[in-house]
Amino acid sequence: EDKVVQSPLSLVVHEGDTVTLNCSYEVTNFRSLLWYKQEKKAPTFLFMLTSSGIEKKSGRLSSILDKKELFSILNITATQTGDSAVYLCAVGSNSGYALNFGKGTSLLVTP
Amino acid sequence: EPEVTQTPSHQVTQMGQEVILRCVPISNHLYFYWYRQILGQKVEFLVSFYNNEISEKSEIFDDQFSVERPDGSNFTLKIRSTKLEDSAMYFCASSGQGEVGHTQYFGPGTRLTVL
């Protein structure tokens, strides 16, 4: 059975800290790994990763995929209170179009 | 920036009633999806839809559920004879063609409360 595991489940940091969120997966016929940010409602797309070792970057956020060790990390540098959210990792398979989500990491950034 | 929209934002219904959740996907997208998230749990896939038919569905998507694209813009999820355990946030998503991995963009969700 396909599995997506995120860690930690929750995290509290101070503004300015750097955080690293983890996502490990076991998926048959892997196609892609996606990161989403979920604040109040809709998961908002951050990154899609398909190739190992290529860092995707957007402002203070970056992410990288390791297809050999089957994990991805999401880094947030110089955190701000607006980064407080649940970060979701989802994996897609070439067997279909369904995304398999992890339980998420709840990040709270305190002033 | 184009986005997925959903209506209503919150729906309250009595057990046994039928509900229809509506979505307007991003206009040039070809693939449409429904997911649900029960409070405190992970987002779960329900169904995907392409070329006017279901392309994939999960075990959750049983005969109680149906989807339809009644016109060129709307995509609906119908839940017949709702049960208490159908209470959840329902997300619609859409993706285009040509992107590797077909990034799925999510709407703001409909919170369904079954009493």
Side-chain angles (χ1 to χ4, degrees):
Chain A
E1 186 185 315
D2 294 347
K3 217 163 34 168
V4 180
V5 178
Q6 293 187 245
S7 63
L9 288 181
S10 66
L11 194 54
V12 181
V13 300
H14 289 113
E15 241 181 343
D17 288 351
T18 293
V19 297
T20 298
L21 310 183
N22 303 289
C23 176
S24 64
Y25 63 90
E26 292 175 28
V27 171
T28 306
N29 205 6
F30 173 90
R31 180 180 70 232
S32 57
L33 185 145
L34 295 89
W35 284 98
Y36 290 87
K37 178 182 182 183
Q38 186 176 28
E39 293 177 88
K40 298 258 163 83
K41 288 188 177 178
T44 305
F45 172 72
L46 295 174
F47 299 113
M48 182 176 69
L49 304 154
T50 55
S51 302
S52 265
I54 299 174
E55 185 184 52
K56 292 270 181 110
K57 199 167 167 62
S58 175
R60 296 176 294 103
L61 277 66
S62 64
S63 183
I64 198 159
L65 175 68
D66 186 329
K67 287 169 78 172
K68 185 179 172 193
E69 300 297 330
L70 307 183
F71 77 91
S72 173
I73 59 172
L74 175 69
N75 276 321
I76 309 174
T77 59
T79 50
Q80 302 171 356
T81 54
D83 295 326
S84 296
V86 175
Y87 289 84
L88 301 174
C89 172
V91 177
S93 157
N94 282 315
S95 310
Y97 290 107
L99 290 179
N100 189 351
F101 280 82
K103 290 184 178 178
T105 292
S106 177
L107 173 67
L108 177 62
V109 181
T110 60
Chain B
E1 187 175 319
E3 56 184 22
V4 177
T5 60
Q6 290 184 242
T7 54
S9 57
H10 191 187
Q11 172 98 44
V12 181
T13 190
Q14 294 291 324
M15 196 167 55
Q17 294 298 303
E18 174 182 287
V19 294
I20 297 176
L21 310 183
R22 301 180 194 280
C23 167
V24 179
I26 294 173
S27 64
N28 61 347
H29 282 184
L30 300 175
Y31 299 84
F32 315 116
Y33 315 84
W34 284 101
Y35 290 80
R36 78 173 184 190
Q37 186 175 31
I38 294 170
L39 190 63
Q41 298 187 25
K42 68 175 188 175
V43 177
E44 301 173 288
F45 170 76
L46 294 177
V47 65
S48 64
F49 192 85
Y50 170 71
N51 201 25
N52 279 320
E53 58 183 29
I54 290 173
S55 48
E56 187 182 357
K57 61 182 181 178
S58 71
E59 293 168 354
I60 303 167
F61 194 88
D62 59 21
D63 292 343
Q64 185 195 6
F65 296 90
S66 62
V67 289
E68 197 177 37
R69 188 152 162 83
D71 53 44
S73 57
N74 290 285
F75 179 51
T76 63
L77 174 69
K78 183 189 289 186
I79 310 175
R80 285 180 283 275
S81 190
T82 49
K83 300 179 274 210
L84 294 176
E85 53 265 38
D86 294 327
S87 295
M89 182 73 91
Y90 288 82
F91 293 109
C92 174
S94 69
S95 64
Q97 203 166 24
E99 300 172 29
V100 176
H102 294 261
T103 301
Q104 295 180 23
Y105 297 90
F106 284 75
T110 292
R111 178 164 296 287
L112 176 65
T113 302
V114 182
L115 303 175

PDB file of all heavy atoms in Angstrom, chain A residues 91-109:
ATOM      1  N   VAL A  91       2.056  12.696  -3.026  1.00  0.00           N
ATOM      2  CA  VAL A  91       2.819  11.957  -4.035  1.00  0.00           C
ATOM      3  C   VAL A  91       1.880  11.437  -5.107  1.00  0.00           C
ATOM      4  O   VAL A  91       0.797  10.916  -4.805  1.00  0.00           O
ATOM      5  CB  VAL A  91       3.596  10.804  -3.380  1.00  0.00           C
ATOM      6  CG1 VAL A  91       4.324   9.985  -4.428  1.00  0.00           C
ATOM      7  CG2 VAL A  91       4.590  11.359  -2.369  1.00  0.00           C
ATOM      8  N   GLY A  92       2.292  11.578  -6.338  1.00  0.00           N
ATOM      9  CA  GLY A  92       1.536  11.067  -7.473  1.00  0.00           C
ATOM     10  C   GLY A  92       2.244   9.877  -8.084  1.00  0.00           C
ATOM     11  O   GLY A  92       3.473   9.790  -8.066  1.00  0.00           O
ATOM     12  N   SER A  93       1.438   8.982  -8.626  1.00  0.00           N
ATOM     13  CA  SER A  93       1.961   7.759  -9.227  1.00  0.00           C
ATOM     14  C   SER A  93       1.593   7.713 -10.702  1.00  0.00           C
ATOM     15  O   SER A  93       0.579   8.303 -11.108  1.00  0.00           O
ATOM     16  CB  SER A  93       1.356   6.568  -8.482  1.00  0.00           C
ATOM     17  OG  SER A  93       1.377   5.416  -9.269  1.00  0.00           O
ATOM     18  N   ASN A  94       2.383   7.022 -11.482  1.00  0.00           N
ATOM     19  CA  ASN A  94       2.051   6.857 -12.899  1.00  0.00           C
ATOM     20  C   ASN A  94       0.897   5.887 -13.117  1.00  0.00           C
ATOM     21  O   ASN A  94       0.441   5.701 -14.242  1.00  0.00           O
ATOM     22  CB  ASN A  94       3.275   6.374 -13.675  1.00  0.00           C
ATOM     23  CG  ASN A  94       4.244   7.503 -13.953  1.00  0.00           C
ATOM     24  OD1 ASN A  94       3.835   8.581 -14.356  1.00  0.00           O
ATOM     25  ND2 ASN A  94       5.519   7.257 -13.706  1.00  0.00           N
ATOM     26  N   SER A  95       0.416   5.277 -12.023  1.00  0.00           N
ATOM     27  CA  SER A  95      -0.722   4.360 -12.131  1.00  0.00           C
ATOM     28  C   SER A  95      -2.035   5.108 -12.276  1.00  0.00           C
ATOM     29  O   SER A  95      -3.060   4.508 -12.604  1.00  0.00           O
ATOM     30  CB  SER A  95      -0.805   3.475 -10.885  1.00  0.00           C
ATOM     31  OG  SER A  95       0.417   2.886 -10.599  1.00  0.00           O
ATOM     32  N   GLY A  96      -2.016   6.406 -11.977  1.00  0.00           N
ATOM     33  CA  GLY A  96      -3.264   7.171 -12.054  1.00  0.00           C
ATOM     34  C   GLY A  96      -2.997   8.613 -11.728  1.00  0.00           C
ATOM     35  O   GLY A  96      -1.845   9.054 -11.677  1.00  0.00           O
ATOM     36  N   TYR A  97      -4.054   9.369 -11.485  1.00  0.00           N
ATOM     37  CA  TYR A  97      -3.896  10.800 -11.220  1.00  0.00           C
ATOM     38  C   TYR A  97      -4.148  11.174  -9.763  1.00  0.00           C
ATOM     39  O   TYR A  97      -4.007  12.333  -9.404  1.00  0.00           O
ATOM     40  CB  TYR A  97      -4.818  11.602 -12.133  1.00  0.00           C
ATOM     41  CG  TYR A  97      -4.355  11.538 -13.573  1.00  0.00           C
ATOM     42  CD1 TYR A  97      -5.047  10.782 -14.510  1.00  0.00           C
ATOM     43  CD2 TYR A  97      -3.203  12.197 -13.960  1.00  0.00           C
ATOM     44  CE1 TYR A  97      -4.601  10.707 -15.813  1.00  0.00           C
ATOM     45  CE2 TYR A  97      -2.747  12.126 -15.268  1.00  0.00           C
ATOM     46  CZ  TYR A  97      -3.452  11.383 -16.190  1.00  0.00           C
ATOM     47  OH  TYR A  97      -3.007  11.299 -17.471  1.00  0.00           O
ATOM     48  N   ALA A  98      -4.523  10.221  -8.931  1.00  0.00           N
ATOM     49  CA  ALA A  98      -4.777  10.526  -7.524  1.00  0.00           C
ATOM     50  C   ALA A  98      -3.498  10.967  -6.842  1.00  0.00           C
ATOM     51  O   ALA A  98      -2.433  10.406  -7.079  1.00  0.00           O
ATOM     52  CB  ALA A  98      -5.324   9.286  -6.826  1.00  0.00           C
ATOM     53  N   LEU A  99      -3.604  11.971  -5.986  1.00  0.00           N
ATOM     54  CA  LEU A  99      -2.505  12.340  -5.112  1.00  0.00           C
ATOM     55  C   LEU A  99      -2.723  11.677  -3.762  1.00  0.00           C
ATOM     56  O   LEU A  99      -3.833  11.686  -3.227  1.00  0.00           O
ATOM     57  CB  LEU A  99      -2.432  13.852  -4.933  1.00  0.00           C
ATOM     58  CG  LEU A  99      -1.981  14.669  -6.149  1.00  0.00           C
ATOM     59  CD1 LEU A  99      -1.994  16.154  -5.820  1.00  0.00           C
ATOM     60  CD2 LEU A  99      -0.599  14.235  -6.614  1.00  0.00           C
ATOM     61  N   ASN A 100      -1.650  11.111  -3.225  1.00  0.00           N
ATOM     62  CA  ASN A 100      -1.686  10.475  -1.918  1.00  0.00           C
ATOM     63  C   ASN A 100      -1.025  11.435  -0.942  1.00  0.00           C
ATOM     64  O   ASN A 100       0.177  11.713  -1.064  1.00  0.00           O
ATOM     65  CB  ASN A 100      -0.939   9.147  -1.988  1.00  0.00           C
ATOM     66  CG  ASN A 100      -1.100   8.314  -0.746  1.00  0.00           C
ATOM     67  OD1 ASN A 100      -1.639   8.773   0.265  1.00  0.00           O
ATOM     68  ND2 ASN A 100      -0.635   7.095  -0.800  1.00  0.00           N
ATOM     69  N   PHE A 101      -1.809  11.944   0.004  1.00  0.00           N
ATOM     70  CA  PHE A 101      -1.316  12.967   0.922  1.00  0.00           C
ATOM     71  C   PHE A 101      -0.786  12.377   2.216  1.00  0.00           C
ATOM     72  O   PHE A 101      -1.289  11.358   2.714  1.00  0.00           O
ATOM     73  CB  PHE A 101      -2.443  13.942   1.278  1.00  0.00           C
ATOM     74  CG  PHE A 101      -2.710  14.981   0.232  1.00  0.00           C
ATOM     75  CD1 PHE A 101      -3.506  14.691  -0.875  1.00  0.00           C
ATOM     76  CD2 PHE A 101      -2.175  16.255   0.333  1.00  0.00           C
ATOM     77  CE1 PHE A 101      -3.751  15.642  -1.845  1.00  0.00           C
ATOM     78  CE2 PHE A 101      -2.416  17.222  -0.632  1.00  0.00           C
ATOM     79  CZ  PHE A 101      -3.211  16.918  -1.730  1.00  0.00           C
ATOM     80  N   GLY A 102       0.199  13.074   2.788  1.00  0.00           N
ATOM     81  CA  GLY A 102       0.594  12.812   4.158  1.00  0.00           C
ATOM     82  C   GLY A 102      -0.330  13.560   5.113  1.00  0.00           C
ATOM     83  O   GLY A 102      -1.219  14.300   4.679  1.00  0.00           O
ATOM     84  N   LYS A 103      -0.121  13.369   6.398  1.00  0.00           N
ATOM     85  CA  LYS A 103      -0.982  14.011   7.405  1.00  0.00           C
ATOM     86  C   LYS A 103      -0.652  15.482   7.595  1.00  0.00           C
ATOM     87  O   LYS A 103      -1.420  16.219   8.201  1.00  0.00           O
ATOM     88  CB  LYS A 103      -0.868  13.281   8.743  1.00  0.00           C
ATOM     89  CG  LYS A 103      -1.503  11.912   8.726  1.00  0.00           C
ATOM     90  CD  LYS A 103      -1.454  11.261  10.101  1.00  0.00           C
ATOM     91  CE  LYS A 103      -2.151   9.906  10.050  1.00  0.00           C
ATOM     92  NZ  LYS A 103      -2.101   9.216  11.349  1.00  0.00           N
ATOM     93  N   GLY A 104       0.500  15.899   7.092  1.00  0.00           N
ATOM     94  CA  GLY A 104       0.852  17.309   7.192  1.00  0.00           C
ATOM     95  C   GLY A 104       1.730  17.617   8.393  1.00  0.00           C
ATOM     96  O   GLY A 104       1.765  16.875   9.382  1.00  0.00           O
ATOM     97  N   THR A 105       2.447  18.718   8.290  1.00  0.00           N
ATOM     98  CA  THR A 105       3.205  19.274   9.417  1.00  0.00           C
ATOM     99  C   THR A 105       2.601  20.627   9.741  1.00  0.00           C
ATOM    100  O   THR A 105       2.519  21.497   8.870  1.00  0.00           O
ATOM    101  CB  THR A 105       4.692  19.448   9.070  1.00  0.00           C
ATOM    102  OG1 THR A 105       5.298  18.176   8.904  1.00  0.00           O
ATOM    103  CG2 THR A 105       5.415  20.225  10.177  1.00  0.00           C
ATOM    104  N   SER A 106       2.165  20.780  10.986  1.00  0.00           N
ATOM    105  CA  SER A 106       1.597  22.048  11.425  1.00  0.00           C
ATOM    106  C   SER A 106       2.717  22.931  11.957  1.00  0.00           C
ATOM    107  O   SER A 106       3.370  22.597  12.950  1.00  0.00           O
ATOM    108  CB  SER A 106       0.566  21.787  12.525  1.00  0.00           C
ATOM    109  OG  SER A 106       0.068  23.011  13.007  1.00  0.00           O
ATOM    110  N   LEU A 107       2.953  24.040  11.297  1.00  0.00           N
ATOM    111  CA  LEU A 107       4.029  24.966  11.677  1.00  0.00           C
ATOM    112  C   LEU A 107       3.439  26.219  12.298  1.00  0.00           C
ATOM    113  O   LEU A 107       2.552  26.855  11.714  1.00  0.00           O
ATOM    114  CB  LEU A 107       4.864  25.341  10.441  1.00  0.00           C
ATOM    115  CG  LEU A 107       5.923  26.416  10.650  1.00  0.00           C
ATOM    116  CD1 LEU A 107       7.028  25.912  11.585  1.00  0.00           C
ATOM    117  CD2 LEU A 107       6.525  26.861   9.316  1.00  0.00           C
ATOM    118  N   LEU A 108       3.921  26.571  13.465  1.00  0.00           N
ATOM    119  CA  LEU A 108       3.525  27.811  14.103  1.00  0.00           C
ATOM    120  C   LEU A 108       4.777  28.660  14.291  1.00  0.00           C
ATOM    121  O   LEU A 108       5.741  28.214  14.927  1.00  0.00           O
ATOM    122  CB  LEU A 108       2.856  27.546  15.450  1.00  0.00           C
ATOM    123  CG  LEU A 108       2.464  28.796  16.255  1.00  0.00           C
ATOM    124  CD1 LEU A 108       1.438  29.625  15.496  1.00  0.00           C
ATOM    125  CD2 LEU A 108       1.917  28.416  17.632  1.00  0.00           C
ATOM    126  N   VAL A 109       4.755  29.861  13.729  1.00  0.00           N
ATOM    127  CA  VAL A 109       5.873  30.783  13.872  1.00  0.00           C
ATOM    128  C   VAL A 109       5.445  31.885  14.825  1.00  0.00           C
ATOM    129  O   VAL A 109       4.491  32.626  14.553  1.00  0.00           O
ATOM    130  CB  VAL A 109       6.280  31.380  12.512  1.00  0.00           C
ATOM    131  CG1 VAL A 109       7.474  32.319  12.687  1.00  0.00           C
ATOM    132  CG2 VAL A 109       6.600  30.282  11.510  1.00  0.00           C
TER     133      VAL A 109
END
